[in-house]
Amino acid sequence: MTGKERVLRAAVVGFPVAGLAVLACAVTLWMVELPDPVASRFELTGDPSSSFGRDGFFWLLLGLASVSALAALVAARVTRSRTTLSGWASTTSFVATLAAGIGVWTLLSQRGIDSWDAARGPLPPAMFAIIGLPALAAAAAGALALSLPLPALTWESAPRARLAPGEDAVWTQRVVVAWFALPVAFGLGLV
């Protein structure tokens, strides 16, 4: 593995790890200032419609971010295909940074209120930050993975067919990446 490839693989993992780190720091700093339970769902008018226990809510978000960061670390370590790594990088980056966005917004918007029903829903700029920034992180992580260098194909490493004089050969290949749908389905299911 070249130095450039190591740097790119580390950068791919950086998005989900950064999401986990931001969320963990924010929870450590501000969770005690929140009501218990916290507002977890809002109507279109901005009024809260349901709540979730404060500790359970943040453990769930930290768990999602942790699993995503761990999956990104494993994928960067064992995956050799750029396209497969791109899928894992995009999915894990989106899930971890989405969990961080939801957690940080909840912490900032509900700090200091007495009851969850006094909370207000996110405005459009906050919704962009909560959903749009994770989508940008996912796109950037996927693009970084796709920019990994391809292994060099040399004449010695190329497969050869031993044909008799006058024989013709036809090469076909079927590419199946059904398991690749698993991280994509996981990310979409969380959304």
Side-chain angles (χ1 to χ4, degrees):
M1 191 181 308
T2 66
K4 179 181 179 181
E5 188 175 353
R6 281 190 185 102
V7 168
L8 286 172
R9 285 181 182 269
V12 163
V13 171
F15 289 100
V17 170
L20 173 61
V22 165
L23 179 59
C25 289
V27 166
T28 302
L29 291 172
W30 299 315
M31 191 168 91
V32 295
E33 299 177 33
L34 296 180
D36 191 12
V38 295
S40 59
R41 197 172 97 202
F42 297 89
E43 301 291 338
L44 290 176
T45 60
D47 298 325
S49 59
S50 66
S51 64
F52 201 92
R54 177 184 66 196
D55 294 343
F57 181 77
F58 287 104
W59 278 114
L60 176 67
L61 292 176
L62 285 166
L64 285 172
S66 298
V67 167
S68 294
L70 181 61
L73 286 167
V74 170
R77 182 87 174 141
V78 301
T79 303
R80 296 292 164 234
S81 165
R82 296 182 323 166
T83 53
T84 303
L85 182 57
S86 177
W88 279 101
S90 297
T91 303
T92 57
S93 295
F94 182 77
V95 172
T97 54
L98 180 66
I102 291 169
V104 168
W105 179 83
T106 301
L107 286 160
L108 293 176
S109 67
Q110 296 185 38
R111 279 176 56 199
I113 63 173
D114 294 328
S115 175
W116 69 272
D117 49 359
R120 298 296 305 157
L123 297 173
M127 286 302 290
F128 172 76
I130 294 168
I131 297 170
L133 293 178
L136 291 173
L144 278 172
L146 288 175
S147 68
L148 284 167
L150 284 174
L153 182 64
T154 63
W155 181 255
E156 292 78 27
S157 68
R160 297 178 192 190
R162 307 285 182 215
L163 301 175
E167 280 186 312
D168 290 329
V170 176
W171 178 72
T172 62
Q173 181 179 4
R174 184 175 147 204
V175 179
V176 179
V177 289
W179 68 269
F180 176 70
L182 181 64
V184 174
F186 174 70
L188 291 174
L190 289 173
V191 171

